[in-house]
């Protein structure tokens, strides 16, 4: 699809005037190119400064329009969220805490912001029109306090207001999603137009326009975290009716050791905002201090990883050896934070029955250098925690042991700061509940901290002092930093006793929004990319960094806007609105059909003895048959009219799956590729070859049609991935390096190798026993017997020597954690059988010849 059509299809209709006029700019360039080409044949006119200034003015006007609209829209969204929060708190305060009174008959009306969408304005108008009873002039005898009807109406009115607030939240979620897509489409449009300009005109404009215009109006660099945090808080308030789950907001921050089951995924930048909105539906954004206004630095996390010049910790973590450790120092927020966490991650193999553990303890920033040099211990500081009652003696003993072990490892293994990782983390979790925790790290950057190549970076300090959290760290040279182009999603589950993860988590990790990358490590990736001269073993995902991870949209949790304006309901309808029945929530059951059944006309004629079968009288059976025939005809008409899209819930249409078009059916005359058991193999090979040729020809025709379409510029493609995903095993490591593939080595593998060696020895002993028997019981003058004994002896010795060599080779390969070529013995058994067969045949032949001579 060309980008001009893509932006037309993906834009939000009510914002159409505020998008970049891509088609107009494209036509302008085409007209200029056509004019230049025609004038070049007649005159000497060329693209001059006036033409360049005019086109630049057009781009600047489009940029100002987009920048101003996004700025106004984000301000409007913040105001709408704040107003909606006030309405929720007002509803909860007035309708739950205050006693009923005649003056509180109607629920409070949400106030409309000064500027909002027409859609949101219509919802506000509908809310005001349905603000309560229209009968304000009731008689005094009807104003009886505490009646059941008034209480029911009060509850119904409250629930009605929450339903409208749910629609408002749905609209806000859709606005945030569409505004993020708006930003993406517009910046893509600018880049493509600039590329076309540089291609069709002699004057380059891309870099000057980016530096002089886009950098001054960086609408594409807007950070959505602040508005998503506010929206998540509002969503949680409305979902819980103003009573969100309370708990420890640190959610494990006070724990010194914790074990989790973690899986990691990459997220394309285009999917970051949709993914956050999808997760927000089930888990709120975790905020450590909910009373504080969110700031960008609140999401920043920085870590300093330690290693020696042999990269011992890097190799241990990469090869997943038992007991491999990673030691790092971490702090949250800006560099002014005085609390530093010293952490140690220890890898445990599954066969040990233990889980990988991360343990940590806090230390003041001014004590870090002394602690790493062995000049300061944590004994006094930890003892003070016990005296103040902040930690128990058992916790302090564990922390003290960890501190001593980390300090000993740093001094004895000569560990130095090697790699810094920085990222902004958005954590999703119920406060105080760590069963499901999801974190999304963005703006991930790795920066060198070592001084090994002669460049002074951290010097004698434990971290560099020339950088903070000012991403993308332009003051650092390009050779010392690695800007990771994807987001990193971590799903952390604490499930016990075989408990399955929530269904929505399973759907999330199988959706098009993420790409699974098992065992991904920020520290390993940073060392593999920034230390190329020291690293010879690279992770398996490194050669795949140039592969596009975007996948076709699976329809998982697609953000949709609410339906039409919410229609008022009667009090009887309102009473049942808060708890929908299961029958209302589920769609009608449809009997599944096998292949080809939907093309058949099913015989639904009534049986001749239907009255006797059903036990009904003649008149009742006739009425039942007529009623059934009527519904069959209605269903037939509906089927002929075509499938209808099921109606979604109007109250909670925040994230719904779109309607998918059924796959086209194979024509009856076109047989699928199958195997005829009576046909020879050559027939199948020929059929398969013809199918491959037809598929190749069809793909070439489609590619030729795409090339002929439009103006033939490839850069107009939107990069939408196809449904065909290719699995290849032809990855090659960079020159001089080797890819580290995770290999699981358990003790039973060593035992299996030993058992195989002993089996060979056992077999060799049998052959040797035969050779010894022949040698001892054959007369000295029997040359035929001696020759047979020699052959069996050679077979036994070959078996012993070969099995010993194979055993030593396999043991060394297992120690090196290399799995290639050690589990399959291609030649050994065959050679042994051949030697044994030769010995036996020789023995038989000699004896037969001896008998013939006699």
């Amino acid at each position: 699809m060309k980008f001009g059509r893509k932006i037309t299809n993906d834009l939000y209709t009510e914002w159409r005037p505020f998008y970049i006029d891509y088609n107009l700019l494209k036509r302008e360039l085409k007209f200029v190119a056509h004019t230049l080409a025609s004038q070049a044949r007649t005159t000497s006119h060329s693209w001059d400064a006036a033409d360049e200034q005019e086109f630049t003015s057009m781009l600047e006007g489009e940029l100002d329009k987009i920048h101003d609209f996004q700025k106004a829209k984000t301000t409007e969204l913040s105001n709408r969220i704040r107003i909606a929060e006030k309405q929720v708190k007002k509803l909860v305060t007035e309708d739950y805490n205050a006693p009923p009174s005649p003056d509180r008959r109607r629920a409070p009306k949400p106030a409309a912001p000064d500027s909002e969408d027409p859609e949101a304005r219509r919802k506000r108008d509908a809310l005001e029109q349905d603000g309560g009873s229209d009968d304000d002039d009731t008689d005094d005898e009807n104003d009886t306090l505490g009646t059941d009807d008034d209480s029911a109406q009060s509850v119904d009115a409250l629930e009605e207001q929450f339903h409208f607030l749910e629609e408002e939240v749905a609209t806000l979620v859709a606005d945030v999603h569409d505004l993020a897509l708006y930003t993406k489409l517009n910046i893509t449009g600018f880049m493509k137009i600039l590329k076309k300009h540089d291609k069709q005109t002699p004057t380059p404009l891309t870099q000057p326009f980016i530096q002089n215009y886009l950098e001054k109006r960086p609408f594409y660099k807007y950070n959505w975290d602040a508005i998503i945090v506010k929206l998540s808080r509002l969503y949680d308030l409305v979902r819980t009716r103003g009573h969100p789950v309370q708990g420890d907001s640190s959610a494990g921050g006070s724990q010194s050791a914790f074990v989790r089951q973690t899986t990691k995924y990459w997220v394309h930048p285009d999917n970051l905002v949709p993914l956050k909105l999808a997760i927000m539906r089930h888990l709120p954004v975790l905020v450590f201090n909910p009373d504080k206004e969110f700031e960008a630095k609140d999401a920043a996390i920085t870590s300093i990883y330690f290693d020696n010049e042999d990269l011992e910790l890097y190799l241990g973590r990469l090869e997943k050896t038992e007991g491999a450790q990673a030691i790092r120092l971490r702090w949250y927020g800006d560099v002014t934070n005085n609390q530093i966490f010293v952490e140690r991650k220890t890898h445990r193999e599954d066969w040990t029955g233990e889980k990988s553990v991360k343990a940590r303890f806090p230390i003041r920033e001014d004590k870090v250098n002394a602690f790493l040099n062995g000049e300061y211990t944590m004994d006094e500081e930890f003892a003070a925690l016990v005296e103040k009652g902040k930690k128990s003696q058992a916790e302090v003993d564990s922390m003290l042991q960890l501190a001593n072990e980390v300090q000993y490892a740093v001094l004895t293994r000569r560990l130095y700061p090697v790699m810094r990782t920085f990222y902004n983390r958005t954590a999703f979790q119920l406060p105080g509940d760590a069963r499901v925790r999801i974190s999304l790290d963005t703006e991930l950057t790795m920066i060198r901290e070592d001084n090994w190549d002669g460049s002074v970076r951290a010097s004698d300090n434990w971290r560099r002092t020339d950088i903070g959290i000012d991403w993308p760290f332009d003051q650092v040279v390009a050779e010392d930093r690695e800007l990771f182009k994807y987001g990193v999603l971590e799903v952390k589950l604490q499930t016990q006793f075989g408990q399955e993860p929530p269904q929505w988590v399973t759907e999330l990790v199988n959706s098009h929004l993420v790409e699974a990358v098992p065992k991904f490590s920020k520290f390993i990736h940073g060392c593999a990319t920034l230390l190329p001269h020291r690293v010879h073993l690279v992770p398996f995902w490194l050669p795949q960094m140039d592969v596009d991870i975007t996948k076709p949209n699976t329809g998982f949790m697609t953000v949709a806007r609410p339906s039409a304006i919410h229609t008022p309901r009667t009090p009887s309808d309102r009473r049942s609105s808060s708890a929908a029945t299961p029958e209302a929530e589920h769609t009608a059951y449809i009997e599944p059909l096998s292949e080809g059944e939907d093309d058949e006309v099913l015989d639904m004629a009534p049986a001749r003895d239907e009255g006797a079968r059903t036990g009904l009288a003649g008149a009742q059976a006739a009425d039942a048959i007529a009623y059934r025939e009527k519904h069959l005809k209605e269903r037939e008409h509906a089927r002929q009219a075509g499938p209808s899209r099921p109606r979604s819930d109007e109250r909670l249409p925040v994230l719904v799956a779109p309607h998918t078009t059924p796959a086209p059916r194979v024509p009856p005359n076109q047989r699928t590729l199958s195997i005829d058991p009576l046909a020879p193999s050559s027939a199948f090979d020929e059929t398969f070859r013809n199918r491959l040729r037809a598929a190749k020809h069809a793909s070439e025709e489609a590619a030729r049609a795409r090339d002929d379409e439009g103006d033939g510029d490839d850069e107009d493609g939107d990069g939408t991935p196809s449904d065909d995903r290719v699995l290849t095993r032809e990855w090659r490591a960079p020159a001089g390096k080797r890819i580290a593939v995770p290999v699981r080595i358990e003790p039973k593998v060593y035992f299996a190798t030993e058992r195989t060696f002993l089996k060979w020895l056992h077999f060799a002993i049998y052959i040797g026993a035969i050779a010894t028997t022949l040698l001892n019981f054959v007369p000295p003058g029997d040359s035929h017997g001696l020759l047979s004994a020699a052959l069996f002896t050679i077979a036994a010795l070959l078996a012993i020597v070969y099995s010993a060599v194979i055993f030593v080779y396999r043991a060394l390969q297992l120690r090196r954690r290399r799995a290639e070529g050690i589990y399959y013995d291609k030649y050994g058994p065959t050679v042994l059988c051949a030697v044994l067969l030769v010995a036996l045949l020789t023995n038989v032949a000699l004896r037969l010849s001896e008998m013939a001579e006699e």
Side-chain angles (χ1 to χ4, degrees):
M1 182 187 295
K2 299 294 184 178
F3 182 76
R5 290 197 297 273
K6 176 178 173 57
I7 193 173
T8 303
N9 295 337
D10 293 351
L11 59 78
Y12 179 40
T13 306
E14 297 193 6
W15 299 350
R16 181 184 293 272
F18 303 101
Y19 285 82
I20 182 175
D21 200 341
Y22 180 80
N23 292 326
L24 175 62
L25 295 173
K26 184 178 177 181
R27 286 195 301 269
E28 182 69 17
L29 282 179
K30 283 186 177 181
F31 175 76
V32 170
H34 178 72
T35 303
L36 290 178
S38 60
Q39 290 181 349
R41 294 190 295 264
T42 58
T43 64
S44 60
H45 179 76
S46 61
W47 181 269
D48 54 16
D51 298 328
E52 185 72 14
Q53 181 63 34
E54 182 180 358
F55 187 77
T56 304
S57 300
M58 294 178 62
L59 290 177
E60 187 177 4
E62 295 292 323
L63 179 60
D64 291 337
K65 175 185 67 177
I66 294 168
H67 177 264
D68 295 343
F69 176 78
Q70 188 198 55
K71 183 178 180 181
K73 199 63 185 176
T74 51
T75 304
E76 174 197 325
L77 289 175
S78 299
N79 293 335
R80 288 166 58 189
I81 293 174
R82 184 179 65 256
I83 292 171
E85 285 184 354
K86 292 181 179 179
Q87 296 306 315
V88 174
K89 295 177 182 178
K90 187 176 180 181
L91 285 175
V92 174
T93 302
E94 293 187 0
D95 288 89
Y96 280 138
N97 298 335
S101 63
D103 296 333
R104 289 179 58 254
R105 284 268 183 98
R106 62 180 69 182
K109 307 173 183 179
D114 296 335
S115 61
E116 57 186 1
D117 284 344
E119 180 181 353
R121 190 177 300 110
R122 290 196 300 268
K123 294 182 180 299
R124 297 294 187 184
D125 295 340
L127 183 63
E128 295 177 358
Q129 294 171 4
D130 194 44
S133 175
D134 294 332
D135 189 9
D136 294 334
D137 299 329
T138 55
D139 298 333
D140 292 339
E141 60 267 23
N142 294 331
D143 276 343
T144 305
L145 298 179
T147 63
D148 293 340
D149 292 340
D150 288 343
S151 299
Q153 291 181 5
S154 177
V155 173
D156 292 336
L158 174 65
E159 191 65 25
E160 186 74 15
Q161 299 305 311
F162 273 113
H163 287 331
F164 282 115
L165 285 172
E166 286 174 352
E167 289 191 358
E168 174 65 13
V169 173
T171 304
L172 287 170
V173 171
D175 283 345
V176 173
H177 175 271
D178 290 341
L179 196 57
L181 182 60
Y182 169 88
T183 302
K184 171 195 167 186
L185 290 175
N186 284 298
I187 188 60
T188 305
F190 274 114
M191 293 297 102
K192 289 183 177 296
I193 281 295
L194 291 173
K195 186 177 179 180
K196 279 182 172 294
H197 172 276
D198 294 349
K199 182 179 179 181
Q200 298 180 4
T201 62
T203 306
L205 183 60
T206 300
Q207 290 302 324
F209 189 83
I210 292 176
Q211 296 175 1
N212 300 330
Y213 297 95
L214 280 176
E215 291 296 334
K216 296 179 180 179
R217 304 171 184 83
F219 71 94
Y220 56 96
K221 295 183 179 180
Y222 183 79
N223 190 347
W224 300 97
D225 289 343
I227 199 167
I228 287 179
V229 168
K230 297 177 182 178
L231 188 58
S232 173
R233 182 168 59 241
L234 172 62
Y235 192 96
D236 195 37
L237 282 173
V238 175
R239 176 176 51 191
T240 59
R241 297 299 187 259
H243 297 83
V245 178
Q246 302 295 329
D248 182 13
S249 297
S250 62
S254 60
Q255 302 176 7
S256 59
F258 42 90
V259 179
R260 290 192 180 102
Q261 177 186 356
T262 304
T263 52
K264 298 183 180 181
Y265 306 85
W266 287 350
V267 184
H268 194 274
D270 297 342
N271 296 331
L272 291 176
V273 174
L275 180 63
K276 291 180 181 180
L277 297 177
I279 301 174
M280 188 187 68
R281 181 186 181 188
H282 304 276
L283 291 177
V285 176
L286 182 64
V287 180
F288 292 97
N289 187 4
D291 299 329
K292 175 180 174 295
E293 187 70 18
F294 178 82
E295 299 180 19
K297 67 179 182 179
D298 296 338
I301 299 179
T302 311
S303 302
I304 304 293
Y305 288 86
F306 284 69
D307 208 340
N308 51 30
E309 295 192 24
D310 296 330
L311 296 180
E312 181 181 348
L313 301 187
Y314 166 82
L315 293 176
R317 298 294 296 182
L318 178 60
E319 296 179 330
K320 299 298 178 184
T321 56
E322 166 59 24
Q325 295 181 350
I327 297 176
R328 68 188 182 194
L329 273 64
R330 168 174 290 188
W331 70 93
Y332 301 88
D334 204 349
V335 291
T336 57
N337 190 354
N338 192 41
Q339 187 181 45
I340 310 298
F341 289 96
V342 180
E343 299 182 351
R344 184 185 66 184
K345 300 176 69 175
T346 305
H347 173 72
R348 296 297 181 190
E349 292 283 2
D350 293 339
W351 56 265
T352 62
E354 302 179 5
K355 295 293 184 181
S356 299
V357 177
K358 179 175 72 173
R360 66 179 183 178
F361 64 90
I363 185 175
R364 295 199 307 271
E365 193 275 333
D366 56 340
K367 301 295 184 182
V368 173
N369 283 326
F371 173 79
L372 296 177
N373 294 329
E375 303 169 358
Y376 176 79
T377 60
M378 303 296 298
D379 300 56
E380 296 181 0
E381 189 170 342
F382 288 164
L385 295 177
V386 179
E387 296 176 358
K388 297 178 181 178
K390 296 183 178 180
K391 295 286 184 180
S392 64
Q393 186 62 43
E395 292 177 334
V396 167
D397 292 341
S398 176
M399 294 168 59
L400 185 59
Q401 179 182 359
L402 174 64
N404 293 334
E405 291 176 355
V406 170
Q407 189 176 50
Y408 180 80
V410 170
L411 295 176
T412 57
R413 303 169 74 173
R414 303 181 65 85
L415 303 181
Y416 300 98
V418 174
M419 193 64 53
R420 171 184 298 214
T421 63
F422 167 84
Y423 49 86
N424 289 313
R425 168 164 292 182
T426 305
F428 301 87
Q429 180 183 354
L430 289 173
D433 186 358
R435 290 175 298 178
V436 179
R437 183 176 185 233
I438 298 178
S439 61
L440 180 59
D441 301 335
T442 56
E443 288 89 36
L444 174 59
T445 307
M446 298 83 168
I447 301 175
R448 290 187 63 174
E449 292 277 340
D450 63 276
N451 305 317
W452 292 337
D453 57 353
S455 300
V456 178
R457 297 182 179 92
S459 186
D460 295 333
N461 195 27
W462 66 276
R463 66 179 177 184
R464 299 176 61 153
T465 58
D466 58 335
I467 56 177
I469 60 172
D470 48 341
W471 184 85
F473 308 103
D474 294 329
Q475 68 272 31
V476 180
V477 296
E479 294 77 11
D480 286 356
R481 63 172 179 172
E482 170 71 14
L483 299 178
F484 196 70
K485 61 181 179 179
Y486 299 129
V488 179
L489 180 75
E490 294 187 30
V491 180
K492 303 175 183 178
L493 302 175
Q494 285 186 353
T495 55
Q496 300 176 352
F497 306 106
Q499 181 183 3
E500 294 293 331
Q503 180 65 26
W504 68 269
V505 176
T506 304
E507 294 177 354
L508 175 68
V509 299
N510 293 327
S511 69
H512 69 284
L513 299 176
V514 298
E515 176 73 17
V517 185
K519 307 301 181 182
F520 174 76
S521 170
K522 305 178 181 70
F523 166 59
I524 292 176
H525 186 83
C527 291
T529 54
L530 296 178
L531 303 174
H533 301 294
R534 290 180 176 269
V535 171
H536 302 287
L537 191 65
V538 297
F540 70 93
W541 63 78
L542 192 62
Q544 305 179 42
M545 288 300 299
D546 296 332
V547 179
D548 187 11
I549 66 171
T550 56
K551 294 182 284 188
N553 192 334
T554 60
F556 172 73
M557 289 187 175
T558 303
V559 177
R561 292 184 176 273
S563 304
I565 300 176
H566 187 78
T567 56
R569 291 176 290 178
T570 61
S572 61
D573 295 331
R574 296 191 189 108
R575 290 189 184 98
S576 62
S577 62
S578 59
T581 61
E583 292 80 8
E585 294 178 358
H586 297 286
T587 57
Y589 173 75
I590 301 176
E591 182 70 22
L593 300 176
S594 300
E595 183 177 359
E597 268 190 26
D598 51 345
D599 290 338
E600 299 176 1
V601 179
L602 301 182
D603 187 7
M604 303 296 292
R608 296 180 179 179
D609 57 344
E610 187 162 356
R613 291 174 181 270
T614 58
L616 299 176
Q620 294 177 345
D623 293 338
I625 293 173
Y627 181 80
R628 183 185 57 205
E629 292 292 332
K630 176 183 177 182
H631 280 271
L632 288 176
K633 291 180 180 179
E634 292 177 356
R635 190 175 67 176
E636 180 66 16
H637 291 313
R639 187 182 69 85
Q640 294 178 358
S644 59
R645 183 171 180 173
R647 184 174 60 89
S648 60
D649 187 4
E650 293 182 358
R651 298 196 308 268
L652 289 174
V654 183
L655 300 169
V656 296
H659 177 67
T660 57
T661 304
R665 295 179 51 82
V666 179
N669 58 352
Q670 181 180 352
R671 291 186 55 190
T672 57
L673 185 61
S674 59
I675 299 177
D676 186 358
L678 301 180
S681 60
S682 58
F684 171 76
D685 296 339
E686 184 66 24
T687 304
F688 186 64
R689 190 180 299 108
N690 293 336
R691 292 293 177 87
L692 291 179
R693 291 173 181 172
K696 182 179 180 180
H697 180 70
S699 61
E700 291 177 354
E701 290 293 335
R704 192 179 300 109
R706 286 193 300 267
D707 293 339
D708 295 340
E709 183 182 1
D711 57 358
D713 292 336
D714 293 337
E715 68 262 22
D716 272 350
D718 61 344
T720 303
S722 62
D723 292 339
D724 298 331
R725 293 179 63 80
V726 179
L727 177 63
T728 178
R729 300 180 183 273
E730 298 300 326
W731 296 110
R732 291 290 182 268
K737 301 185 184 299
R738 188 167 52 88
I739 298 177
V741 180
V743 179
R744 181 177 179 178
I745 305 296
E746 298 183 1
K748 62 182 182 182
V749 180
Y750 292 96
F751 297 150
T753 305
E754 293 176 1
R755 285 197 304 269
T756 305
F757 175 57
L758 294 177
K759 286 289 185 181
W760 276 81
L761 290 182
H762 192 192
F763 189 71
I765 289 173
Y766 280 131
I767 303 176
I770 297 174
T772 303
T773 302
L774 290 174
L775 187 63
N776 292 332
F777 292 96
V778 170
D782 189 358
S783 60
H784 293 172
L786 294 176
L787 180 59
S788 299
L791 290 176
F792 279 104
T793 303
I794 292 174
L797 293 177
L798 285 177
I800 293 174
V801 172
Y802 180 80
S803 61
V805 172
I806 289 296
F807 172 72
V808 173
Y809 170 74
R810 287 176 174 172
L812 292 176
Q813 290 293 90
L814 289 175
R815 292 177 184 176
R816 298 171 182 172
R817 305 182 70 84
R818 296 182 181 179
E820 61 272 9
I822 65 174
Y823 298 113
Y824 176 60
D825 194 350
K826 185 183 298 185
Y827 304 108
T830 304
V831 173
L832 178 63
C833 290
V835 173
L836 184 59
L837 182 61
V838 169
L840 290 173
L841 293 178
T842 303
N843 186 27
V844 172
L846 291 175
R847 290 305 174 186
L848 290 177
S849 62
E850 184 179 355
M851 292 173 61
E853 291 177 358
E854 293 178 357

